[in-house]
Amino acid sequence: MTQLMVDAQGVRKSFGSNEVLKGINLTVSPGQVLCLLGPSGSGKSTFLRCINHLETINGGRLYVDGALMGFREKGDVLHEMKPSAIAKQRSEIGMVFQKFNLFPHLTAIENVLEAPLGIKKQDKASAVARAKELLASVGLKDKENHYPSQLSGGQQQRVAIARALAMEPKLMLFDEPTSALDPELVGDVLDVMRKLAKSGMTMIVVTHEIGFAREVADRVVFMDDGLVVEDGTPAEVIDNPQNPRTQVFIRSVL
Amino acid sequence: MAKKQQNHDIVVVPLRHPWRWVSAAVIILLLGAFIYSLWASPNINHEIIAQFLWNGKVIQAAGLTVFLTVISMFIGAVLAILLAIMKLSSNPVLRVVATGYIGFFRGTPLLLQVVFWGYLGIIYPTIDVGIPFTNIVWFSEKTSVVFTSILAGIIALSLNEAAYAAEIVRAGILSVDGGQTEAAKSLGMGSAYTLRRIVLPQAMRVIIPPMGNEFISMLKNTSLLQVVAVMELYARTSQISSQNLAQVELLVVAGFWYLVMTTILSYPQSYLEKKFGRGFNPADAKKRWLGIGSKGNV
């Protein structure tokens, strides 16, 4: 049996008295593309942020590639990791944000190079070559020296994808990557993600793009009110949902 | 026809603004009368002004003023970054200490602080280096020997500056969107790296304009060091005027040099504003992209 890429066991997360995740059980195998659907407030973005420890979980266990995220386990007790160890774990997981969060004071290629050069201490010449390759692969060969403010939303998001890929992650997390885009720019970003999925990257995508989920996802998970409600292939969850809450949601977005 | 690119199809007679002309004339007249009264006054000796404007001692004192300003500003800025980080820290002791420091140094007059540091020798007559609560002393010297008036002045100015600049730096750090820190974290950057490479460079855009103000204030505040007998520009000119009794003339000399220095020191500010504004103004960035000031790829 191969090592699971993500293994969430009863993951709980509260903000104050508000319990957002109420025990999430979910596994993702290497190479799988999983789309997370659900109404807003269902906890899907929070769950995604728990995976790379941007949020600290309050209960359960969350393993990425066999390693517990953010903690060391000794018997029944969890010990918080040092920030440098958490940073190391995060560097192996790429994340793409709804609002791109490109570094505005750096050009496109500088955005891509910052972490490989500064964190991984890669050789400059090969890192630059790799960055140019990545920017070309997201269709931005001629925008290397543009600042984010000179790029459209769709172009910025593609730079953000290239920036995350530059760290050679084993897992990519997408947090509503097309929600902040003008409709005509969504396609370019989805094309890049489609290509990435075909290349065998393990991906977890929080999205409202049902069409993309149906076409690209190996698995679709529907979340509501902090719980996984339905989990299956796109054909099962999108085209023939069993749970009434899934049925209502799918009808409302289609 | 080729010259005329726009086709105006309406004829407009601009609205007249007679009061603009009247008010401008009145102001220019008043200003001219004031300058003439100074120039023609028999009580101001222009020869003395000319004589001391390029006086070696005055120029030297102006140099000392610049030195005091730059070094105090530098120490103040470094301490300010430290205080700002302390104030934003999740450690309550660091937070309280930083808040207390800022409250204390902003809450008392700078003149009082300058005099206090000047009198440090009264509180600690000697400076000893050794192991506390034992009789072991490796080094002991009179405070007045080690702690010169210039040192006292620099400490007074920089500690005071740190308190003001800390709030400027903190505001700058807070102005950077939280998504920046998250993106940095998700790429595996630690908090020190994120601060240095991602947050501070963006914060600088907000920090520099008020810091330019601070720089100019600092330059003028060095004149307070006169009270602890530091021979900076103001102290030197007032010393000269106490001998030749040409008070107003030497004030003009000092004022001239202060103006020259503040004007010159304003230039680095616009340079820094451009440098840290890169990427934030699409038009400016385009210029760099087209090769003006470009450093090539990366």
Side-chain angles (χ1 to χ4, degrees):
Chain A
M1 192 194 129
T2 52
Q3 177 71 56
L4 288 170
M5 188 54 82
V6 177
D7 185 5
Q9 303 171 356
V11 168
R12 292 174 179 276
K13 173 69 188 172
S14 307
F15 295 105
S17 60
N18 179 23
E19 191 168 44
V20 181
L21 301 179
K22 300 176 176 170
I24 301 282
N25 294 304
L26 193 72
T27 59
V28 183
S29 310
Q32 220 173 31
V33 176
L34 182 140
C35 279
L36 268 178
L37 306 181
S40 62
S42 59
K44 52 197 192 307
S45 280
T46 304
F47 177 64
L48 202 68
R49 294 160 57 82
C50 286
I51 295 177
N52 69 352
H53 206 67
L54 281 181
E55 305 288 354
T56 307
I57 60 175
N58 302 127
R61 299 283 189 275
L62 208 162
Y63 300 89
V64 173
D65 203 18
L68 191 62
M69 280 303 293
F71 299 98
R72 273 177 298 113
E73 200 168 11
K74 279 185 184 168
D76 273 353
V77 187
L78 297 186
H79 297 264
E80 262 188 88
M81 274 185 176
K82 281 185 191 166
S84 57
I86 296 175
K88 178 86 179 52
Q89 285 189 322
R90 284 200 190 107
S91 71
E92 295 170 351
I93 303 171
M95 184 155 189
V96 173
F97 299 87
Q98 183 178 356
K99 288 180 180 156
F100 332 134
N101 296 347
L102 285 184
F103 305 131
H105 61 302
L106 303 178
T107 60
I109 194 160
E110 286 170 346
N111 263 281
V112 177
L113 282 170
E114 185 62 41
L117 291 181
I119 302 300
K120 271 193 166 176
K121 308 283 181 201
Q122 282 180 1
D123 167 62
K124 185 161 179 182
S126 61
V128 169
R130 168 98 179 114
K132 289 186 172 193
E133 209 175 281
L134 279 168
L135 282 174
S137 76
V138 297
L140 295 172
K141 196 177 168 56
D142 54 341
K143 305 285 185 193
E144 284 170 9
N145 294 314
H146 282 52
Y147 285 98
S149 60
Q150 297 170 285
L151 300 172
S152 73
Q155 291 169 336
Q156 289 189 50
Q157 192 62 299
R158 284 182 279 151
V159 173
I161 294 173
R163 176 177 72 176
L165 291 175
M167 290 299 274
E168 284 154 351
K170 50 192 177 191
L171 168 67
M172 284 286 287
L173 309 174
F174 294 84
D175 189 5
E176 303 198 27
T178 57
S179 298
L181 297 178
D182 290 338
E184 77 269 23
L185 302 175
V186 170
D188 289 339
V189 173
L190 292 183
D191 281 343
V192 167
M193 292 169 62
R194 200 172 283 130
K195 226 164 76 182
L196 190 61
K198 274 200 189 121
S199 77
M201 175 64 75
T202 314
M203 294 162 63
I204 303 181
V205 186
V206 172
T207 187
H208 295 294
E209 297 286 333
I210 300 292
F212 176 82
R214 182 187 281 142
E215 178 202 334
V216 179
D218 302 308
R219 247 172 84 205
V220 173
V221 167
F222 179 76
M223 274 177 71
D224 192 20
D225 199 24
L227 286 168
V228 170
V229 174
E230 207 156 339
D231 182 347
T233 64
E236 289 165 355
V237 178
I238 297 174
D239 298 324
N240 189 21
Q242 302 302 309
N243 189 292
R245 280 189 285 181
T246 319
Q247 288 167 355
V248 170
F249 177 79
I250 295 291
R251 218 178 301 137
S252 72
V253 294
L254 274 184
Chain B
M1 224 23 225
K3 267 187 187 174
K4 218 177 179 184
Q5 300 219 322
Q6 284 167 311
N7 252 333
H8 296 293
D9 55 358
I10 54 168
V11 179
V12 177
V13 178
L15 180 62
R16 308 287 176 206
H17 297 283
W19 287 108
R20 284 187 192 170
W21 292 99
V22 172
S23 56
V26 169
I27 295 230
I28 289 172
L29 210 67
L30 287 175
L31 209 59
F34 175 64
I35 291 171
Y36 178 75
S37 74
L38 288 180
W39 185 251
S41 166
N43 301 322
I44 299 178
N45 186 335
H46 302 107
E47 278 165 22
I48 294 183
I49 296 180
Q51 180 196 337
F52 281 102
L53 206 52
W54 300 100
N55 179 290
K57 283 185 174 172
V58 170
I59 304 279
Q60 206 180 14
L64 181 59
T65 291
V66 171
F67 169 75
L68 290 167
T69 305
V70 171
I71 195 158
S72 306
M73 203 63 203
F74 178 77
I75 300 172
V78 171
L79 287 176
I81 294 176
L82 213 66
L83 281 167
I85 294 168
M86 282 168 72
K87 215 178 162 182
L88 292 168
S89 146
S90 46
N91 181 335
V93 175
L94 294 186
R95 246 185 358 245
V96 167
V97 168
T99 309
Y101 178 97
I102 291 167
F104 182 82
F105 282 92
R106 286 202 308 187
T108 53
L110 178 54
L111 182 58
L112 184 153
Q113 292 170 28
V114 170
V115 174
F116 171 84
W117 290 107
Y119 283 155
L120 195 71
I122 295 176
I123 312 175
Y124 305 108
T126 62
I127 291 177
D128 305 325
V129 178
I131 299 173
F133 310 114
T134 65
N135 291 325
I136 302 169
V137 174
W138 295 307
F139 170 86
S140 181
E141 185 60 272
K142 274 190 179 163
T143 303
S144 56
V145 175
V146 184
F147 206 69
T148 60
S149 57
I150 287 190
L151 188 58
I154 290 173
I155 289 180
L157 291 175
S158 39
L159 292 191
N160 183 265
E161 179 55 35
Y164 283 91
E167 289 296 83
I168 295 174
V169 173
R170 190 170 68 96
I173 291 175
L174 289 176
S175 76
V176 178
D177 180 51
Q180 294 290 306
T181 316
E182 281 199 344
K185 271 188 189 176
S186 78
L187 288 164
M189 297 179 191
S191 52
Y193 186 92
T194 305
L195 187 72
R196 187 166 57 81
R197 295 282 303 175
I198 307 298
V199 175
L200 276 182
Q202 295 181 55
M204 287 305 264
R205 207 170 56 94
V206 177
I207 291 172
I208 283 167
M211 281 304 257
N213 258 347
E214 290 297 304
F215 216 105
I216 285 170
S217 292
M218 173 67 88
L219 190 102
K220 294 178 296 176
N221 283 340
T222 55
S223 62
L224 292 173
L225 301 191
Q226 187 214 21
V227 298
V228 288
V230 173
M231 271 301 150
E232 42 69 49
L233 182 57
Y234 182 77
R236 178 61 78 194
T237 52
S238 77
Q239 185 204 40
I240 294 170
S241 69
S242 68
Q243 287 160 4
N244 68 4
L245 302 181
Q247 278 90 355
V248 177
E249 287 80 355
L250 278 141
L251 282 182
V252 173
V253 169
F256 171 79
W257 282 114
Y258 278 118
L259 263 177
V260 167
M261 291 188 289
T262 49
T263 309
I264 292 173
L265 287 176
S266 308
Y267 282 100
Q269 180 181 346
S270 59
Y271 165 77
L272 288 173
E273 275 181 30
K274 275 212 190 79
K275 178 177 167 175
F276 287 105
R278 77 177 189 127
F280 285 91
N281 183 345
D284 283 353
K286 211 157 264 167
K287 269 186 217 149
R288 183 175 179 254
W289 167 232
L290 289 174
I292 303 165
S294 163
K295 293 177 212 156
N297 278 355
V298 189

